[in-house]
Amino acid sequence: MSERQTIESRLLETWESRAGSAMNGRLHDGRELAMARFREAGIPAKSEAWKYTPIRRILERMPLLSLGAAAEGDTLSAADVAAFAIDGLDAFRVVLVNGRFRADLSDLAGLPAGVRILDLRNAASDPAVVEHLDGTGQEARDAFAELNSAFVQDGMVVVVDAGIVLERPVFIQHVLTAGSPALIQPRLLGVFGKDSQARIVEVCRTIGQDHVLTNAMSEFHTATGAVIDHVRVIDEHKDAVHINSLRSYQEGGSTFSTNVITVSAGVVRNQSYFLPDGENCETHLSGFYLGQNGAHIDNHTLVDHAKPECYSNELFKGILSNKAIGVFNGKVLVRQDAQKINAYQSNKSVILDDTARMYSKPELEIYADDVRCSHGATTGELDQEAMFYLQTRGIRKDDARLILLEAFAADVLDRIRLDAVRDHVDALIRRRLSQN
Amino acid sequence: MSATGTEYLNEVAASDYEWGFVTDVESDTVPKGLSEDVIRLISSKKSEPRWLLDWRLKAYAHFEKILAERGFPTWAHLDYPEVDFQNISYYSAPNSKPKYESLDEVDPKLLETFERLGIPVTEQKMLAGVAVDIVMDSVSVATTFKDELAKKGVIFCSFGEAVEKHPDLVRKYMGSVVPHTDNLYAALNSAVFTDGSFAYIPKGVRCPMELSTYFRINAAGTGQFERTLIIAEEDAYVSYLEGCTAPRRDENQLHAAVVEIVAHKGAEVKYSTVQNWYPGDAQGKGGVFNFVTKRGICEGDDSKISWTQLETGSAVTWKYPSVILKGDRSVGEFYSVAFTKGKQQADTGTKMIHLGQDTSSTIISKGISAGNSQNSYRGLVKINPKASGARNFSQCDSMLLGDRCGAHTFPYLEIGHPTAKVEHEATTSKVGEDQIFYCQQRGISEVDAIKLIVNGFCKEILSKLPMEFAVEAQKLLAIELEGSVG
């Protein structure tokens, strides 16, 4: 019990000590409420949602985290950040160092009219922020979402007005660099107007080796007819704990796709909530996890079909080896009277040795009868016959293994529509697989 | 769907419970309430040895501890009022005479009850070829074919009799598969169980007939807490059947049973259940709370345990027949049809725990929901880090008959070995309009088409039931499904 009080009360103390420097207006009110809710919820000790990721124990093991790290990143230069660029990606570049926007490292030149990319710190009174920040998915909020809202200060706002098709993608680089153990809580709000189109790419990387807890939250509000494509690549070091809450709200007739690629060495929890809140929505969610050397990767999704005539398609695949733990908990919820839903969910994992574990929990919760819902989950090793086939054709065993693993990953990676990003991720995964 | 189809489905959802009569027999019921004294009273009424009383008291202490520390299990997709354990009578025996020497002594009204239920109790029904142990309320009232079984060395008797005559076997195996610490209801059962069935199949014996236990709750305000223990020695085989019904009552009755199966090297146990406790009325009033812990262990190499269940009754079902695959090359199977209607809720499935090498398990679950019912599959497949070559296939299909019911699937797959091959797939659908259209084109009425499609949906499971039981099960499902449509 005393430990429990320690973590929450420590955060509360930090929060109170920073309340003076808080932002004005609505954000501040929201923070009070969020902190109260966080204190009520508490960091889960034993819960069905965190069954295979003992987050409380993980956080208790971490050293004392300070919030002061944001300033430590001020010395970071353009050259440091350039190392994390994606070759051949022509995009508007946004760099967040320890969650804080760095205009000097970013490149937003040529942003067309009707598109705004803003630092949340200075955008509290922007109509998009006022209307949509913490605006959706209240039922899916948990302690970490509350915690993020309680401290909300740093982050980005991307607004694409109705009818605008943003040709160049928005590339958001999250760089973590902490000289001491740090808690970083970046925030992303995307508001996409009617019939707009945009592509968002996020890459999360760490510099340095200190303990860091990222508690990120992204909210996307996609209006009727809009088509949004989102990719997030998480590649952090072994002492990084990354909790990433995504909430997507869709109006009728919109399409939202997200793909989360996790190759971190530490602990990652991707928890996503999708609410297609109108007819004829399309929701594509996919993810790939490469767990090596003691990594712990947990993908937790909920697709909440509240309205009829929608389509959702979920595919998560992963490769696990050497003491890595993979978790998949996906739920498709079809509410009463949400008829004519087509929902598919699939989770496939390859385990490469007997020290790795996979916990898969694909769930369906259905309250309407005229629906087509299915899910599947498979776990196994590489097909020995396929290995043999390749070897008989003169391919070395290691190469054969690599070919098969890459082919396995391709189902998910091919869903990344931006060629440069896909090539980058392909190469990253190939490199990691051959290192092992 | 046209009016007749919808009407038919409504009738299905509203159809009545046929087994809801009460038999008017005298019964010896202890006052309501749960305490150490009640447990001592049960134990003394059954003239139990000291070790068993101690075991009960230990379980009771643990029950109180779990209830105080953890409370009721809340993880299931169920919504029901907390059970008031003090408002239940823990012992009720039909007739004041607790033991029968032969069938002639059994109250004719009791026999009549079982006639009405269609259970072959009397020896005249020898042709039925099933040895039956009947448990009414809390005590075993009759066991048939004992002598014939004894010739083969098979022991089949009530649990009480086993405690008296085969204490070594009971002491060795009771609680070895489902320990009294397992969960709240298993702890409660261990403390207050009153009777049940015991079967022991010696080495190399293939049990010559199906063994069957029939459970019935009759008296009002009682709970039923029976224990079944089945032991199959090396290379033995037995097929075991279990059936149950209860009268209509306005209050919720509690049924918390424990079933333990031990299969030694090369042995095979097939356990089939047709569960038809009173489900409550259309408004969800009354009905049995069915909180059952069933588990088998494939102790020896090459052993096999197979669970087949047809779940149509109970207001609330919380039941996960499981297999621990400890022996190398052992096999676990789970075949289930769960049908819910009215306001019934079922959260049922299985656990397959793979420990040995090259073990395999198969799970096939079919859920059918109608009316305002909620039907969930919850199953665990766990491959231990040392269980190389494990294989699992799970399939969970749900069918919805109406737009006010729910069908849910909650599989847990925990894989710890690279050579494991684990597959799970699930679908949810309704009776397809194209399928009905196809049937209608061929001159089959819409109502018949629905029956045909639903029966086809379950056929895979029902065909796994032993022949004698399959007939009963099909009849039961047909009645559940058909309502009054001819």
Side-chain angles (χ1 to χ4, degrees):
Chain A
M1 264 343 251
S2 63
E3 271 301 313
R4 179 187 165 85
Q5 282 152 2
T6 316
I7 290 193
E8 279 89 4
S9 56
R10 215 162 65 197
L11 284 163
L12 180 67
E13 265 172 39
T14 317
W15 183 77
E16 277 168 349
S17 71
R18 294 173 66 84
S21 63
M23 283 177 291
N24 53 0
R26 180 181 168 276
L27 277 183
H28 185 67
D29 298 341
R31 290 163 58 132
E32 295 269 338
L33 188 63
M35 196 64 206
R37 287 207 201 119
F38 168 73
R39 291 174 67 189
E40 197 183 319
I43 289 171
K46 201 178 173 193
S47 85
E48 192 69 14
W50 293 86
K51 190 176 167 76
Y52 300 112
T53 303
I55 191 65
R56 200 173 177 88
R57 277 217 315 272
I58 291 166
L59 297 186
E60 276 165 3
R61 277 204 303 267
M62 293 186 88
L64 207 65
L65 302 169
S66 85
L67 278 159
E72 288 168 19
D74 288 351
T75 55
L76 212 68
S77 72
D80 295 328
V81 177
F84 301 149
I86 293 178
D87 290 341
L89 179 67
D90 175 29
F92 299 107
R93 197 168 73 237
V94 175
V95 177
L96 294 170
V97 178
N98 292 341
R100 183 172 295 178
F101 178 55
R102 283 282 296 274
D104 57 325
L105 302 177
S106 304
D107 176 13
L108 294 174
L111 211 57
V115 179
R116 284 171 288 153
I117 297 180
L118 310 165
D119 180 1
L120 182 61
R121 209 170 254 271
N122 306 318
S125 54
D126 189 278
V129 175
V130 171
E131 194 182 342
H132 297 295
L133 193 75
D134 275 330
T136 56
Q138 295 301 330
E139 58 270 50
R141 294 186 70 95
D142 69 345
F144 294 100
E146 302 299 356
L147 189 64
N148 183 292
S149 290
F151 283 89
V152 64
Q153 187 154 358
D154 293 322
M156 294 308 294
V157 183
V158 177
V159 184
V160 181
D161 285 345
I164 304 282
V165 175
L166 190 58
E167 295 284 348
R168 289 171 74 199
V170 178
F171 176 41
I172 303 175
Q173 281 181 279
H174 296 271
V175 183
L176 298 181
T177 170
S180 59
L183 168 65
I184 288 158
Q185 308 204 72
R187 183 75 171 229
L188 175 64
L189 172 66
V191 180
F192 307 105
K194 194 164 176 285
D195 298 323
S196 66
Q197 292 187 21
R199 293 172 291 185
I200 313 275
V201 180
E202 292 184 81
V203 175
C204 310
R205 295 287 300 266
T206 42
I207 295 177
Q209 291 301 319
D210 227 314
H211 287 270
V212 57
L213 167 62
T214 304
N215 179 32
M217 185 150 88
S218 310
E219 288 174 282
F220 295 101
H221 188 281
T222 310
T224 300
V227 179
I228 303 306
D229 191 63
H230 172 245
V231 180
R232 186 174 174 108
V233 182
I234 305 169
D235 179 12
E236 296 180 347
H237 65 66
K238 72 174 175 42
D239 288 322
V241 176
H242 187 117
I243 297 163
N244 164 33
S245 307
L246 181 149
R247 287 187 279 152
S248 157
Y249 175 87
Q250 285 178 261
E251 287 180 8
S254 62
T255 301
F256 184 81
S257 311
T258 180
N259 200 331
V260 57
I261 312 292
T262 310
V263 294
S264 282
V267 178
V268 177
R269 159 90 164 194
N270 295 309
Q271 44 184 19
S272 316
Y273 171 78
F274 301 87
L275 177 63
D277 197 21
E279 293 186 11
N280 300 311
C281 286
E282 264 190 51
T283 310
H284 302 269
L285 49 151
S286 48
F288 182 79
Y289 42 97
L290 178 64
Q292 298 174 315
N293 309 323
H296 183 121
I297 303 170
D298 181 349
N299 284 294
H300 197 99
T301 66
L302 170 61
V303 184
D304 184 352
H305 281 293
K307 295 285 159 64
E309 308 269 1
C310 289
Y311 171 87
S312 70
N313 190 345
E314 176 167 8
L315 174 66
F316 277 80
K317 293 180 99 172
I319 300 171
L320 300 164
S321 64
N322 194 13
K323 294 182 183 156
I325 295 172
V327 182
F328 171 78
N329 186 349
K331 184 189 262 190
V332 174
L333 171 64
V334 178
R335 293 189 187 266
Q336 210 160 63
D337 297 325
Q339 301 290 8
K340 309 271 181 203
I341 296 290
N342 279 338
Y344 304 97
Q345 185 193 59
S346 175
N347 172 227
K348 294 180 179 175
S349 310
V350 170
I351 299 185
L352 293 177
D353 60 54
D354 59 6
T355 60
R357 306 266 178 286
M358 179 65 208
Y359 302 102
S360 180
K361 206 175 152 218
E363 301 175 47
L364 297 176
E365 198 173 325
I366 316 275
Y367 298 92
D369 63 335
D370 193 6
V371 299
R372 288 230 167 92
C373 296
S374 68
H375 67 192
T378 58
T379 305
E381 59 182 347
L382 278 183
D383 185 355
Q384 294 307 317
E385 278 180 33
M387 282 289 286
F388 179 74
Y389 177 89
L390 291 174
Q391 284 177 276
T392 56
R393 265 108 191 121
I395 296 168
R396 282 173 45 231
K397 197 173 174 183
D398 285 352
D399 292 338
R401 185 172 149 275
L402 208 56
I403 288 171
L404 290 175
L405 290 175
E406 279 182 49
F408 174 78
D411 283 347
V412 175
L413 304 187
D414 285 351
R415 291 189 173 197
I416 300 175
R417 291 191 189 87
L418 287 160
D419 290 345
V421 179
R422 195 186 55 230
D423 292 347
H424 173 80
V425 173
D426 265 345
L428 177 66
I429 287 170
R430 189 178 306 128
R431 206 159 57 234
R432 292 291 163 83
L433 281 172
S434 32
Q435 270 166 12
N436 225 23
Chain B
M1 200 179 286
S2 72
T4 50
T6 314
E7 278 165 23
Y8 168 61
L9 290 179
N10 288 341
E11 279 177 44
V12 169
S15 65
D16 237 346
Y17 188 65
E18 284 206 348
W19 300 268
F21 56 85
V22 181
T23 309
D24 184 19
V25 290
E26 279 178 52
S27 66
D28 173 17
T29 306
V30 302
K32 287 177 177 178
L34 179 60
S35 66
E36 275 199 17
D37 291 341
V38 168
I39 292 164
R40 284 177 205 280
L41 182 66
I42 293 170
S43 192
S44 74
K45 268 186 189 292
K46 301 185 66 68
S47 327
E48 283 175 358
R50 178 76 207 180
W51 62 265
L52 190 51
L53 176 63
D54 290 345
W55 197 73
R56 286 174 182 276
L57 292 174
K58 202 166 69 183
Y60 179 62
H62 192 79
F63 166 78
E64 293 220 298
K65 190 171 152 232
I66 307 182
L67 192 60
E69 285 176 9
R70 286 187 261 156
F72 289 84
T74 52
W75 41 264
H77 192 81
L78 299 170
D79 179 21
Y80 59 93
E82 291 190 351
V83 179
D84 179 1
F85 293 110
Q86 296 304 334
N87 197 25
I88 295 170
S89 166
Y90 288 86
Y91 184 82
S92 175
N95 205 317
S96 51
K97 191 163 184 266
K99 282 170 81 180
Y100 303 97
E101 295 307 320
S102 83
L103 274 178
D104 299 337
E105 291 177 40
V106 175
D107 189 331
K109 273 189 184 150
L110 257 182
L111 290 180
E112 200 185 302
T113 303
F114 291 106
E115 297 282 333
R116 285 178 73 181
L117 293 167
I119 315 302
V121 193
T122 50
E123 301 281 355
Q124 299 121 20
K125 293 205 175 170
M126 272 180 70
L127 282 174
V130 179
V132 187
D133 180 27
I134 292 164
V135 178
M136 179 123 156
D137 289 336
S138 301
V139 291
S140 171
V141 293
T143 308
T144 60
F145 288 105
K146 262 187 183 170
D147 295 342
E148 199 162 319
L149 290 169
K151 276 183 219 156
K152 291 260 186 185
V154 175
I155 304 167
F156 180 47
C157 60
S158 71
F159 206 89
E161 193 179 329
V163 169
E164 196 179 313
K165 294 186 180 159
H166 312 283
D168 296 346
L169 284 173
V170 174
R171 279 187 88 160
K172 183 173 174 194
Y173 290 107
M174 184 175 73
S176 68
V177 190
V178 180
H180 69 270
T181 50
D182 195 77
N183 65 69
L184 185 72
Y185 301 110
L188 177 67
N189 175 288
S190 304
V192 303
F193 75 92
T194 39
D195 215 332
S197 297
F198 175 85
Y200 175 85
I201 324 298
K203 187 173 170 180
V205 171
R206 191 179 168 87
C207 189
M209 61 186 78
E210 314 274 348
L211 302 184
S212 171
T213 302
Y214 207 88
F215 297 105
R216 180 159 175 92
I217 298 178
N218 194 52
T222 59
Q224 176 143 336
F225 308 94
E226 82 278 354
R227 266 190 106 83
T228 302
L229 177 57
I230 301 171
I231 301 145
E233 287 287 3
E234 255 177 60
D235 299 321
Y237 167 86
V238 64
S239 167
Y240 190 94
L241 323 172
E242 177 201 277
C244 30
T245 53
R248 289 157 186 264
R249 301 276 183 208
D250 280 348
E251 89 263 11
N252 295 114
Q253 288 180 295
L254 177 63
H255 173 245
V258 168
V259 177
E260 297 178 281
I261 299 176
V262 180
H264 287 286
K265 193 172 171 218
E268 179 176 349
V269 178
K270 191 172 160 145
Y271 193 105
S272 312
T273 309
V274 172
Q275 187 266 105
N276 189 27
W277 297 113
Y278 177 52
D281 66 10
Q283 278 70 48
K285 195 172 182 195
V288 172
F289 286 171
N290 190 32
F291 302 142
V292 180
T293 309
K294 291 184 170 182
R295 193 175 304 149
I297 182 163
C298 286
E299 184 71 47
D301 296 350
D302 304 296
S303 54
K304 177 176 175 183
I305 293 176
S306 170
W307 298 99
T308 307
Q309 61 174 24
L310 172 62
E311 300 279 322
T312 60
S314 295
V316 178
T317 302
W318 181 93
K319 175 179 172 185
Y320 315 92
S322 312
V323 185
I324 300 168
L325 297 151
K326 189 175 164 196
D328 293 349
R329 297 172 301 282
S330 56
V331 177
E333 292 176 339
F334 175 78
Y335 303 107
S336 167
V337 172
F339 179 84
T340 55
K341 61 182 183 183
K343 290 238 159 79
Q344 277 178 276
Q345 303 176 59
D347 193 296
T348 183
T350 184
K351 291 180 190 174
M352 293 291 174
I353 318 280
H354 293 253
L355 303 177
Q357 318 282 304
D358 301 314
T359 50
S360 67
S361 60
T362 307
I363 299 169
I364 298 180
S365 166
K366 307 270 181 182
I368 304 162
S369 328
N372 293 303
S373 67
Q374 300 297 335
N375 196 334
S376 309
Y377 165 83
R378 185 183 302 276
L380 167 71
V381 175
K382 183 172 183 150
I383 313 287
N384 206 51
K386 293 201 169 65
S388 65
R391 183 81 179 86
N392 163 268
F393 174 75
S394 312
Q395 186 187 336
C396 309
D397 296 329
S398 305
M399 186 176 264
L400 292 142
L401 306 177
D403 59 4
R404 283 293 172 269
C405 47
H408 320 298
T409 318
F410 306 106
Y412 298 65
L413 312 173
E414 305 184 4
I415 319 299
H417 199 280
T419 56
K421 273 206 172 66
V422 177
E423 295 168 76
H424 171 95
E425 55 186 53
T427 61
T428 302
S429 56
K430 64 171 193 170
V431 178
E433 276 165 33
D434 49 343
Q435 293 168 325
I436 293 176
F437 178 70
Y438 179 92
C439 291
Q440 282 181 305
Q441 270 189 319
R442 275 134 189 96
I444 299 167
S445 75
E446 189 178 350
V447 169
D448 283 344
I450 293 172
K451 280 190 230 168
L452 189 73
I453 293 160
V454 173
N455 274 313
F457 179 71
C458 307
K459 191 169 180 178
E460 199 179 345
I461 306 297
L462 297 183
S463 67
K464 301 278 181 196
L465 288 168
M467 209 264 281
E468 295 81 354
F469 230 34
V471 178
E472 192 184 336
Q474 261 159 15
K475 208 176 94 192
L476 181 63
L477 191 66
I479 292 165
E480 289 287 337
L481 208 59
E482 280 171 13
S484 52
V485 176

